[in-house]
Amino acid sequence: TRPRSDIVGSYGAEAVEWIEAAERKTLRWWQRLAVTRQLEHLADGSLAHRVVCESAPRRAGKSVRLRGVALWRMDHGPALFGETQLVMHTGKDVAIVREIQRAAWRWAEEVMGWEVSRANGKEALETLDGDRWLARAMHSVYGYDVCLGMVDEGWDVDPAAVDEGMEPATLERNSPQL
């Protein structure tokens, strides 16, 4: 679909450039488009889309895009949206969520100086300013204030984990997305 008439721009170009540098790879055309559309904003700078749903075949690059947006949001979100960022990532099982996050662990520690927790069930990245990306089981998403909620392999995720766990947790955040 075309952008809504109240959308004045997108943080997408900046995000794509940052993600490609961080991931040291060129995003596919659809990943660049999806990031650009996800990060469309209104005149006040707030994000235009609260819910983003994407579907693509296996091995299309969804995980690379999820990881890139999560990392970009942790690095740029506080300045853009005026609050500490909490990225909550869940999926059909913790193993798949952990695998996506794991690909960023070394980079987060060595390049960014972030803290990485690898303990089973406590996987997390944390910036020096307290922005976090938490990898959690689908029924362990309750009780957090979520700025960016990510659901991977959603076809096998209990809808209550999203509707009752993550979505209400975005209500009082600045520019939240699920």
Side-chain angles (χ1 to χ4, degrees), residues 86 88 121 132 134 136 140-147 165-166 168-170 173:
L86 185 118
M88 175 66 66
R132 297 181 297 157
L134 306 178
R136 294 294 184 263
S140 298
V141 297
Y142 296 84
Y144 296 93
D145 289 325
V146 177
C147 296
M166 291 188 10
T170 66
R173 305 283 45 97

Side-chain angles (χ1 to χ4, degrees), residues 51-55 65 178:
V51 176
V52 176
C53 182
E54 73 182 30
S55 179
R65 194 181 101 62
L178 180 60

